[in-house]
Amino acid sequence: MSLFINKLINRRMTSLPSTSRRSISDVAFIGLGSMGYPMAANLKKESPNSKVLVWNRTATKAQQHASEFGTNAVSSLEELKCCSLVFLCLPTSTEVESICSRLGPILDPGSIVADCTSGDPHVTRRIASSLAERHTIHMVDCPVSGGPAGAMSGQLTAMIGGSDTAVRAVEPYLKHMAQKRMVRVGAIGAGHAVKAVNNALNTAHLAVATEGLLALAKFGVCPEVALEAINGSSGRSLQTEERLPKEVLSRKFNYGF
């Protein structure tokens, strides 16, 4: 059954009207949190000829963004009807599914929803199937990695899943927010699957490194000195090189989330 559903989704997605054949003039960004706020700013900064509409559950956040970066704040999703590309950056796939159920009847056929949320790949495929079958809308999953600092500088990595047609249309805009790297990883849902594994590895490294430093401290080894040795050795990782010294040992605990 799952194989049948996957084939159905892929066949349906490749038969959608090609958004890439028409000019995308108006772009929307939904979700102005720790990641979305600076990402939408970079989208506007690097796309001066495009109108970038922003919507947030808290309307004042969208108004603040418009005042600060020159985007256009909207108070209702219905105002996004003019947009043929809508980016999402929301807490979970639950919010994505809720928003997409409201966007489907609003957006024109052939429009694209590009989801930057760290989402559930199975839910993503369900949403994509619903958008395609009910409204003839493309979906691309393009979660990003790099944290709030990377979102502010534009130095994010994007893991992209979706049909070739939809991905080609999204990439020229996504590249303004993910300047570090963009990697096509497969069909719809594949981006979220890769991001889930990436996050699991990331947190595992942090947990293991923390336990290791605690053990060394009990043995009488200074954590800072231990990290100096580890970071010149095969046990190093982003967590030992960046997060632990800058956010934990410093006692700042201010990564951004």
Side-chain angles (χ1 to χ4, degrees), residues 27-31 43 85-89 112-116 142 170 173-174 177:
V27 182
F29 201 105
I30 294 176
L43 179 61
L85 173 58
V86 179
F87 283 98
L88 309 178
C89 192
I112 303 173
V113 173
D115 185 18
C116 299
C142 47
V170 170
Y173 298 86
L174 182 62
M177 300 175 281

Side-chain angles (χ1 to χ4, degrees), residues 124-139:
T124 297
R125 287 188 168 181
R126 183 172 73 224
I127 297 170
S129 178
S130 176
L131 287 173
E133 292 294 327
R134 298 181 181 182
H135 307 289
T136 323
I137 292 173
H138 299 259
M139 186 175 186

Side-chain angles (χ1 to χ4, degrees), residues 136-230:
T136 323
I137 292 173
H138 299 259
M139 186 175 186
V140 169
D141 58 314
C142 47
V144 295
S145 179
M152 285 187 281
S153 65
Q155 293 300 309
L156 295 172
T157 292
M159 305 151 220
I160 312 171
S163 70
D164 287 342
T165 298
V167 171
R168 281 197 301 269
V170 170
E171 283 179 326
Y173 298 86
L174 182 62
K175 70 179 182 180
H176 300 318
M177 300 175 281
Q179 298 170 25
K180 185 176 182 180
R181 186 172 299 176
M182 296 193 301
V183 184
R184 295 193 192 188
V185 295
I188 187 69
H192 284 147
V194 173
K195 182 65 192 305
V197 172
N198 175 78
N199 283 6
L201 291 170
N202 188 44
T203 53
H205 292 165
L206 179 59
V208 170
T210 301
E211 290 296 327
L213 291 181
L214 287 171
L216 288 170
K218 290 180 180 179
F219 195 72
V221 179
C222 173
E224 287 85 357
V225 173
L227 281 180
E228 183 179 355
I230 291 169

Side-chain angles (χ1 to χ4, degrees), residues 29 31-42 56 61 65 89-91 144 146-153 156 254-257:
F29 201 105
L32 302 175
S34 298
M35 296 293 290
Y37 198 89
M39 288 173 68
N42 283 327
N56 195 70
K61 197 73 172 288
H65 197 278
C89 192
L90 300 170
V144 295
M152 285 187 281
S153 65
L156 295 172
N254 189 32
Y255 177 60
F257 293 121

